């Protein structure tokens, strides 16, 4: 009985700890700037929710924010697709082939994944301006792929190692080529890992702020996190907190929807390759 009570208390504490900031920002998004300024303690503004809905109308009518949504969707999807394709091929080679320096490749991939992002912003800024891809989609897609590929390779290589080698050999005995066996047998069996790598890559690209603010200068490629920093009101010393909160809620909705729809596959992908056998 004590264990059940402790478990319930622990779960409630974790939920409150995680969901309180979410509830706070949702409450803030429904308040007017005047309510925020005077410190309205209620969850909804004293003027009612209709007044708070004006924040969402203002955000969705903002052309810069709509451009940022388009940029984030396009950049994140392209970076995810390219990263998953390259990581799938690389992870398969690492898991199935024996070649000199394989451990070194995995070690370097892990080192790259742990490398601090801030230290690369300056060199990338100069390089991208020199070769002409500053403030463009490729200028963000390349760094996103560079930092998500190592994690995707590590995740997928664990799945490929667990797939019995005999299944691929059986497909080749039945007349399939190496590419057909890989595409029709190996990849479907590693689908949870591929899906996990895609989700992690998409989340990284969608939530990135450092590259988005440093490698863009206009709305041509600026993603949502960077665009939020340019939300200013009439007074530069009094930021429109309610508008920022509404924009943050809108930007978070796609992530929440993806997690709710694919939560089982995400959990399966994160845990399937963890235990061997």
């Amino acid at each position: 009985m004590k264990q059940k009570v402790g478990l319930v208390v622990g779960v409630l504490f974790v939920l409150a700890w995680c969901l309180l900031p979410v509830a706070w920002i949702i409450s803030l998004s429904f308040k007017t700037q005047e309510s925020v300024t005077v410190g309205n303690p209620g969850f909804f503004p004293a003027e009612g929710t209709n007044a708070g809905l004006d924040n969402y109308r203002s955000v969705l009518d903002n052309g810069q924010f709509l451009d940022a949504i388009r940029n984030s969707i396009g950049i994140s999807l392209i970076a995810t697709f390219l990263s998953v394709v390259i990581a799938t091929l690389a992870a398969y080679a690492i898991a199935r082939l024996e070649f000199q320096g394989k451990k070194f490749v995995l070690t370097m991939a892990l080192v790259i994944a742990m490398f601090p992002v801030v230290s690369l912003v300056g060199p990338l800024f100069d390089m991208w301006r020199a070769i002409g891809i500053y403030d463009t989609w490729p200028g963000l897609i390349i760094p996103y792929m560079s930092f998500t590929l190592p994690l995707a390779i590590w995740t997928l290589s664990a799945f490929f190692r667990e797939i019995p080698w005999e299944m691929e050999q059986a497909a080749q005995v039945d007349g399939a080529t190496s590419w057909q066996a890989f595409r029709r047998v190996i990849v479907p069996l590693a689908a949870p890992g591929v899906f996990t790598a895609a989700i992690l890559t998409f989340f990284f690209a969608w939530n990135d702020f450092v590259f988005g603010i440093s490698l863009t200068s206009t709305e041509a490629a600026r993603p949502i996190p960077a665009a939020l920093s340019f939300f200013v009101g009439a007074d530069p010393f009094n930021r429109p907190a309610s508008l920022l909160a509404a924009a943050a809620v809108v930007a978070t909705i796609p992530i929440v929807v993806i997690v709710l729809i694919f939560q089982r596959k995400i959990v399966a992908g994160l845990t399937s390759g963890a235990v061997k056998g």
Side-chain angles (χ1 to χ4, degrees):
M1 184 62 182
K2 292 182 179 180
Q3 292 181 348
K4 292 183 178 179
V5 173
L7 179 62
V8 172
V9 173
V11 170
L12 291 177
F13 176 78
V14 172
L15 288 176
W17 181 269
C18 296
L19 296 180
L20 182 59
V22 178
W24 188 277
I25 197 170
I26 292 176
S27 170
L28 192 62
S29 68
F30 279 99
K31 294 182 179 181
T32 62
Q33 188 61 30
E34 292 76 13
S35 299
V36 175
T37 303
V38 300
N40 179 19
F43 188 85
F44 292 109
E47 299 86 352
T49 56
N50 290 331
L53 289 176
D54 291 338
N55 295 326
Y56 289 92
R57 297 189 187 99
S58 299
V59 167
L60 296 177
D61 290 338
N62 189 311
Q64 295 181 358
F65 188 73
L66 295 180
D67 290 339
I69 292 178
R70 173 180 57 84
N71 293 333
S72 287
I73 292 175
I75 292 172
S76 299
L77 289 178
I78 294 174
T80 298
F81 174 77
L82 295 177
S83 181
V84 169
V85 170
I86 297 174
T88 301
L89 298 175
Y92 174 79
I94 291 174
R96 292 302 196 204
L97 304 179
E98 292 296 334
F99 57 91
Q100 188 174 4
K102 182 166 69 172
K103 292 184 178 180
F104 176 76
V105 172
L106 287 173
T107 303
M108 289 304 299
L110 185 61
V111 170
I112 294 173
M114 300 175 62
F115 209 78
V117 176
V118 178
S119 62
L120 295 178
V121 170
L124 284 178
F125 178 84
D126 292 334
M127 288 176 58
W128 279 192
R129 287 176 63 89
I131 63 180
I133 61 173
Y134 175 76
D135 197 25
T136 63
W137 282 22
L140 291 178
I141 291 172
I142 294 173
Y144 292 163
M145 290 178 57
S146 300
F147 275 89
T148 55
L149 268 174
L151 181 60
I153 291 173
W154 270 87
T155 302
L156 288 172
S157 60
F159 279 87
F160 286 133
R161 290 193 192 98
E162 297 221 355
I163 298 175
W165 178 251
E166 291 76 13
M167 298 186 67
E168 187 173 1
Q169 292 177 328
Q172 293 177 352
V173 170
D174 292 337
T177 63
S178 299
W179 171 248
Q180 289 174 336
F182 170 75
R183 181 168 55 90
R184 297 182 180 180
V185 178
I186 302 301
V187 172
L189 291 175
V194 175
F195 191 87
T196 301
I199 289 295
L200 295 176
T201 303
F202 184 85
F203 284 1
F204 179 88
W206 185 271
N207 295 324
D208 171 71
F209 174 78
V210 177
F211 287 132
I213 196 67
S214 304
L215 302 180
T216 61
S217 59
T218 66
E219 290 78 19
R222 184 177 291 148
I224 292 177
L228 292 180
S229 64
F230 290 89
F231 270 51
V232 294
D235 184 3
F237 299 100
N238 187 15
R239 301 294 297 274
S242 55
L243 283 178
L244 285 170
V249 172
V250 173
T252 307
I253 289 176
I255 300 298
V256 174
V257 172
I258 291 175
V259 171
L260 291 178
I261 294 176
F262 301 109
Q263 56 180 333
R264 291 185 178 179
K265 292 184 178 180
I266 295 174
V267 174
L270 291 173
T271 58
S272 294
V275 180
K276 195 170 184 178

